[in-house]
Amino acid sequence: QSTVGGTHTCMWLLAAASAIVLTPSPRVAITSPCAAVRMMADDDASPQSRAVKQQKREAVAAARRTTAAELTLSGEEVEALTAASKSLDPCWREGAAEDCPTALKSVFTQQPIDFFAALRNPQEDPDPAVWIGVRKTWPVLAERSDDDLLAALQPIKDVRVDKRSL
């Protein structure tokens, strides 16, 4: 079968695209059969989606700052949580690295991440398993709930720290 002007390629792409269930975005109009393939870009990466996620993160952070202001943490507890957030020690020490929960592993090395990476991630909250290690390493925080620690961590995270300076 001969192909004239890429017709065969376009027909193949059309067949492939029709086999995939596409949910078109309200902002995208499909103008040609081959445009369906180009439309498969991730909508979560759009500037609008990123802006909405950022606004949600900022609202959560503001609520946590308010909660943190209402908590009665001792100076020793604040120092311990600050030290935890700056610690380069691995947050998993319960056994072999293979037994470490996936959420506490580096995506690249598959080794346990450090407390700094787990507690100061600006995009995500720490995994609940991190608090177990925090409480074991800094016993003064043992009586605090996960929610209290998460709220108290927000003002600490607000002060930027460059990992290279640690």
Side-chain angles (χ1 to χ4, degrees):
Q1 297 177 358
S2 65
T3 57
V4 178
T7 306
H8 186 272
T9 303
C10 190
M11 292 303 288
W12 181 85
L13 288 173
L14 179 60
S18 65
I20 300 171
V21 177
L22 296 175
T23 307
S25 169
R27 295 176 281 120
V28 178
I30 300 175
T31 57
S32 72
C34 292
V37 175
R38 289 190 300 267
M39 190 193 81
M40 294 171 64
D42 189 10
D43 241 3
D44 286 342
S46 71
Q48 295 85 358
S49 178
R50 286 192 307 252
V52 168
K53 287 179 183 178
Q54 182 63 28
Q55 288 174 344
K56 287 180 183 178
R57 280 193 299 270
E58 289 171 4
V60 168
R64 286 184 180 151
R65 281 185 208 99
T66 302
T67 303
E70 295 168 357
L71 288 174
T72 54
L73 272 79
S74 69
E76 190 178 2
E77 288 174 317
V78 173
E79 285 177 24
L81 191 55
T82 302
S85 77
K86 293 180 180 179
S87 175
L88 298 179
D89 293 333
C91 60
W92 173 261
R93 298 182 203 173
E94 300 300 312
E98 297 82 32
D99 299 332
C100 179
T102 305
L104 302 182
K105 286 184 181 180
S106 166
V107 181
F108 303 108
T109 65
Q110 293 301 302
Q111 295 297 312
I113 59 175
D114 53 47
F115 285 110
F116 180 90
L119 297 176
R120 288 191 171 263
N121 184 335
Q123 306 296 322
E124 297 177 16
D125 287 342
D127 189 85
V130 171
W131 299 122
I132 296 168
V134 167
R135 288 185 185 98
K136 284 185 178 181
T137 308
W138 292 274
V140 71
L141 299 172
E143 300 300 317
R144 294 292 179 172
S145 70
D146 290 1
D147 291 335
D148 285 351
L149 292 173
L150 195 55
L153 181 64
Q154 187 60 53
I156 294 169
K157 282 174 60 171
D158 288 343
V159 177
R160 296 244 178 216
V161 175
D162 188 335
K163 190 173 187 174
R164 297 171 294 184
S165 69
L166 300 176

